[in-house]
Amino acid sequence: MEYKDFDQDALDFINKWIKDFDYYGAVFSYYAFIVWFNKVEYSIVLNDEGIETFYLRATSDNGKHINWKPLTYGSFSEAIKKIPNNETIYFCSCSDLKELNLNLYFCKTYRAADEYIYDAKSFSDMIGKKYHSKRNHCSKFSSLYPSAKLVTYTKAYYDEVIKFSNQWIQNKEISEDSLVNQSLDVESKILKQMLSQVEKGNLIGNILLVDEKIIGLSIAEKLPSNNAVVMYEKADINYEGSYAYLARNFAKQNLYDCKYINRQ
């Protein structure tokens, strides 16, 4: 197979596949996931019947390939045969594995890719016993901080948002300073890209203010399947209930008409 750099054709194929298969995962969201990797490439292959299969891979710092599962309109078991035997295929679902002869493959659970899927309306309204504690956190936050408001991100908030994010990362308990600096560099780069896409209207972004101070930020993408992926969510834990309040009100304000919300 011949690979080329990720481009608009790759994004168009992914978005069509997401819509056709009612996909609600985050790993094929360009802005939520793919953008985190260096040197992302793809290949579109036609089989003898003219059925398309999409292959996506990134190259890690040590030169190894990170292969996403192939997206195909044909047989998954046939599609993966084009990926070399000594390479790993990530993000396969249980339904994908059912198509395979598992005696031929070594499979393991990849916990880091676990996703948390919620019914959009139930999460936004926080209906039922499972949301009892979150409702209490929201009520507590509202009573403690009556000036709180969720507003749409605009470029006017850019400097304050970057400052808030950097401070949030620096406050994390990481023992090695080099790790803090590396995390800060990566997070800042990705956040700036996301904010640029919010400004262009490709993503949804809200900031949470208390007394006009930024204490939270949430960014999401609506997928072509009418599902949503919340890709960035941070809040200042010094404000009790801030996370629950941000999550619920962001969903209610922006994602209520979706089917599912993936909070990855």
Side-chain angles (χ1 to χ4, degrees), residues 131-149:
Y131 294 115
H132 176 74
S133 62
K134 290 186 182 295
R135 288 198 302 271
N136 287 343
H137 286 310
C138 289
S139 297
K140 183 72 171 180
F141 181 87
S142 296
S143 64
L144 289 173
Y145 311 107
S147 70
K149 58 183 178 180

Side-chain angles (χ1 to χ4, degrees), residues 95-117:
S95 60
D96 294 328
L97 298 183
K98 288 179 180 178
E99 291 191 37
L100 304 179
N101 178 354
L102 296 183
N103 292 322
L104 302 177
Y105 301 93
F106 173 74
C107 304
K108 66 177 181 179
T109 302
Y110 183 54
R111 295 294 183 188
D114 283 355
E115 298 182 309
Y116 303 90
I117 312 299

